[in-house]
Amino acid sequence: MNLYDGSHELKEIQRLEGHTDRVWGLAWNPTTGADGVPAVLASCSGDKTVRIWQQSPLTGSFECKAVLEETQTRTIRSCAWSPSGKLLATASFDATTAIWEHIGDDFECVSTLEGHENEVKSVSWNASGSLLASCGRDKSVWIWEVLPGNEFDCVSVLQGHTQDVKMVQWHPSMDVLFSCGYDNTIKVWAEDGDDDWSCVQTLGESNKAMNTLLTGCLFSGHSSTVWALSFNASGDKMVTCSDDLTIKIWGTDIIAMQSGDGNATWSHLCTLSGYHDRTIFSVHWSREGIIATGAADDAIRLFVENKDGLVDGPMCKLFLKKDKAHDMDVNSVQWSYSDNRLLASASDDGSVKIWKLTSLP
């Protein structure tokens, strides 16, 4: 399917019911959905549970295979699979991060990470699965080293954000960590070689000092809470979304980033505005290059790179609109790892939806 030929539709394949409160987060298991292994999706909710959904090889429908419960005592805000697909980390408002291991047909809580003062908002594994990051309302970002026997050792507590940290996300190929939050900024964290982690760049509304010297331009950052971020497949571009109703694309010199110590500078490339009229909560960049956004206007939007060839033309353009994707706020959108055309969404309406991007005849 050529994205630039003809028209497309985002078709609802299935509505997954079972959660009894709003659904906050979604995570596709990266080792499933190909080579005869059925696709597996995790969803987490205000009902204090995580549901594991598996696609039936016979019908193609998703069925709830497990409910992870009675471990965390408040809302579960975020979930993330390790690269091996064997461990699932879940972040809760009870100030803990739980680590679940898939053993046989069951999931067992094998570790509980404590340290945050209050709500944990997000968790993310690095590309090798050797590090786990968490962040929370206490304004801190924690980095945990994964040790044998499901032991986790906190190697760094990163202080730099001035308010609630909404999301942490590792770079797809390097041990460089990104965080965003209520202070309207995105922060880039890297190790200095002595096992010390520090903030190497802050992408804010206007960073005049060092960033101007490095890039020759002022940053055009967000003017309100930054809710989420995501990387393209090659890792040289990042997309962020915000309470300011904009989506921003950032870029870096990936060669410099890979050859150096991860401190290559990120700069603002373009801003997409006017596509959602309420807070944009989630953004995810597919491996095929499609950016999906979900917002408080109950809508999903898809964007692609603009290939019109116009000098000074917009870098990205609206590809598809899906109004009333859910009955209430869309909190999360996540593309499948194995099927570039499969998208999952989660909402305040308590449902998870599976969508397929298809070409119209």
Side-chain angles (χ1 to χ4, degrees):
M1 185 198 307
N2 189 327
L3 292 177
Y4 300 94
D5 292 343
S7 54
H8 301 78
E9 76 168 324
L10 195 61
K11 186 177 179 183
E12 182 181 328
I13 300 297
Q14 196 177 349
R15 180 184 174 112
L16 308 183
E17 304 276 8
H19 284 295
T20 57
D21 201 329
R22 68 185 60 181
V23 188
W24 280 112
L26 298 166
W28 292 95
N29 186 315
T31 62
T32 66
D35 302 324
V37 180
V40 171
L41 176 71
S43 60
C44 59
S45 166
D47 66 10
K48 310 170 196 168
T49 74
V50 177
R51 286 182 171 258
I52 308 295
W53 310 87
Q54 186 178 68
Q55 190 173 23
S56 164
L58 297 175
T59 65
S61 295
F62 284 81
E63 300 162 0
C64 184
K65 288 295 184 183
V67 180
L68 317 187
E69 57 189 343
E70 297 178 358
T71 296
Q72 291 172 300
T73 58
R74 292 183 63 195
T75 288
I76 302 176
R77 181 66 177 80
S78 167
C79 54
W81 294 97
S82 64
S84 69
K86 291 184 170 62
L87 298 176
L88 180 70
T90 60
S92 172
F93 284 5
D94 70 3
T96 71
T97 298
I99 308 296
W100 303 82
E101 185 174 9
H102 192 191
I103 302 169
D105 288 334
D106 294 322
F107 286 83
E108 183 182 325
C109 182
V110 293
S111 193
T112 301
L113 313 186
E114 298 178 340
H116 283 285
E117 293 174 18
N118 39 43
E119 291 100 317
V120 188
K121 297 293 182 76
S122 174
V123 280
S124 175
W125 301 84
N126 71 340
S128 66
S130 62
L131 296 170
L132 179 72
S134 61
C135 67
R137 191 163 72 89
D138 62 8
K139 310 173 192 174
S140 71
V141 173
W142 290 52
I143 297 178
W144 308 83
E145 185 178 3
V146 185
L147 303 173
N150 291 320
E151 294 289 326
F152 290 77
D153 181 31
C154 176
V155 293
S156 195
V157 177
L158 309 176
Q159 307 284 0
H161 283 285
T162 58
Q163 295 192 60
D164 189 341
V165 190
K166 293 293 186 191
M167 187 180 193
V168 280
Q169 185 71 44
W170 290 95
H171 186 270
S173 62
M174 300 184 62
D175 286 344
V176 178
L177 182 65
F178 294 72
S179 60
C180 60
Y182 220 80
D183 60 9
N184 311 348
T185 70
I186 303 108
K187 287 186 178 290
V188 188
W189 309 88
E191 201 177 4
D192 64 5
D194 294 323
D195 294 333
D196 284 331
W197 290 80
S198 61
C199 179
V200 295
Q201 193 179 3
T202 299
L203 307 179
E205 196 169 3
S206 61
N207 298 45
K208 294 181 180 175
M210 183 59 75
N211 289 336
T212 308
L213 296 174
L214 290 171
T215 65
C217 65
L218 292 179
F219 279 100
S220 304
H222 289 288
S223 59
S224 192
T225 300
V226 186
W227 279 90
L229 64 95
S230 180
F231 295 93
N232 66 347
S234 56
D236 65 339
K237 291 188 182 72
M238 170 176 66
V239 60
T240 57
C241 65
S242 169
D243 198 40
D244 65 12
L245 311 187
T246 70
I247 301 132
K248 291 180 183 285
I249 313 282
W250 310 80
T252 193
D253 181 344
I254 193 69
I255 304 299
M257 192 175 177
Q258 289 168 341
S259 62
D261 53 2
N263 293 5
T265 303
W266 289 79
S267 55
H268 173 260
L269 299 178
C270 77
T271 296
L272 300 168
S273 58
Y275 296 105
H276 287 285
D277 53 21
R278 291 187 65 193
T279 299
I280 307 167
F281 289 128
S282 181
V283 63
H284 195 227
W285 211 324
S286 80
R287 296 185 172 205
E288 193 180 28
I290 308 173
I291 295 170
T293 56
D297 57 9
D298 313 342
I300 292 172
R301 299 282 184 261
L302 304 184
F303 302 87
V304 292
E305 189 178 348
N306 194 356
K307 298 203 172 173
D308 294 343
L310 297 173
V311 178
D312 295 330
M315 199 183 118
C316 289
K317 65 179 181 181
L318 181 68
F319 174 64
L320 192 147
K321 299 194 295 187
K322 191 70 182 182
D323 292 321
K324 297 184 173 60
H326 282 271
D327 297 331
M328 297 171 73
D329 296 9
V330 180
N331 294 317
S332 180
V333 284
Q334 289 287 311
W335 293 103
S336 162
Y337 287 95
S338 55
D339 184 343
N340 286 330
R341 299 303 164 90
L342 209 57
L343 180 75
S345 62
S347 170
D348 275 3
D349 65 16
S351 74
V352 174
K353 288 189 178 184
I354 308 294
W355 308 84
K356 185 83 170 181
L357 182 62
T358 58
S359 295
L360 291 173

